[in-house]
Amino acid sequence: MKVRVGDSRWLRIGIVGTLISLLSACESFNRPQAPAALNSRYNDEQPTLSGDGRWLALVSNRNNNSHILLYDLRGKLFVNLPGLNQSDVIVENPSLSRTGRYLVYISSIQGRPDIALYDRATQRAELLTLGYRSWVRNPQISPDGRYVVFETAKRGQWDIEVLDRGPLIELDIPDGTPVNP
């Protein structure tokens, strides 16, 4: 079979067009997507539920970085957490208070783990173990948000410590619940 000059030009254009569409398809496949559905093709791990069962926190790499995401099980959507996730910080082991107001987690900056607390009402994160001289892991917050328990290697073995945030913090209690001093 003979190929004419005009036919080979269209063949080349067709091959180039196919290659371009394949490359652009591969590029868009790797592009991070905004969190939309709970289950995705990304690595989602370390789930934790709030005491009232409404909120689900998890660690995800959906933005090519370790981030904590908060999912509203009632509304079936992710909730924005301004001031929580930073690109140079590794986060893990989230724990939620009763209504999800408080979130404690491990925050590792330059490889050093600290326990951090994020308050959704103020949209601020603070390190609770800043200056702590030992390794920490697996923080859990009490339902009312006053106490944080965690494991520490202070004595050369893993022990349990309880951190009392104090009587003056605003407790995470359902609306209308009487507060006993």
Side-chain angles (χ1 to χ4, degrees):
M1 175 173 147
K2 278 186 160 180
V3 176
R4 293 184 303 203
V5 175
D7 291 341
S8 67
R9 185 178 66 161
W10 288 111
L11 181 64
R12 281 189 300 235
I13 291 172
I15 290 172
V16 169
T18 302
L19 287 173
I20 289 172
S21 64
L22 284 173
L23 289 174
S24 65
C26 290
E27 183 180 324
S28 66
F29 180 77
N30 292 329
R31 189 176 302 134
Q33 299 171 351
L38 184 57
N39 293 311
S40 70
R41 63 183 175 86
Y42 296 96
N43 187 24
D44 297 334
E45 60 186 9
Q46 303 172 17
T48 184
L49 283 171
S50 62
D52 64 4
R54 177 175 180 179
W55 304 99
L56 170 70
L58 58 105
V59 176
S60 179
N61 72 343
R62 293 178 188 218
N63 297 318
N64 294 328
N65 204 349
S66 172
H67 283 16
I68 292 177
L69 300 177
L70 186 65
Y71 188 76
D72 180 352
L73 292 166
R74 190 179 308 156
K76 296 187 186 325
L77 54 88
F78 282 94
V79 176
N80 192 17
L81 298 172
L84 176 64
N85 295 306
Q86 301 167 1
S87 62
D88 58 342
V89 178
I90 297 172
V91 293
E92 57 189 349
N93 300 113
S95 175
L96 291 167
S97 61
R98 179 177 288 116
T99 66
R101 173 179 177 172
Y102 296 114
L103 169 70
V104 296
Y105 57 98
I106 294 290
S107 171
S108 296
I109 303 170
Q110 298 178 350
R112 177 75 183 168
D114 277 301
I115 296 175
L117 178 131
Y118 179 77
D119 183 347
R120 287 183 48 219
T122 63
Q123 300 180 344
R124 289 191 178 152
E126 67 175 298
L127 294 178
L128 299 179
T129 56
L130 187 62
Y132 196 77
R133 296 194 175 270
S134 184
W135 290 94
V136 295
R137 68 181 188 188
N138 299 323
Q140 296 289 314
I141 192 161
S142 63
D144 65 5
R146 179 171 174 174
Y147 300 97
V148 176
V149 297
F150 57 94
E151 296 175 41
T152 176
K154 188 187 285 186
R155 299 183 319 137
Q157 67 182 27
W158 290 108
D159 292 319
I160 306 297
E161 283 202 29
V162 178
L163 186 143
D164 183 353
R165 296 181 54 223
L168 301 179
I169 67 149
E170 190 172 331
L171 298 177
D172 184 1
I173 55 174
D175 291 339
T177 305
V179 179
N180 297 329

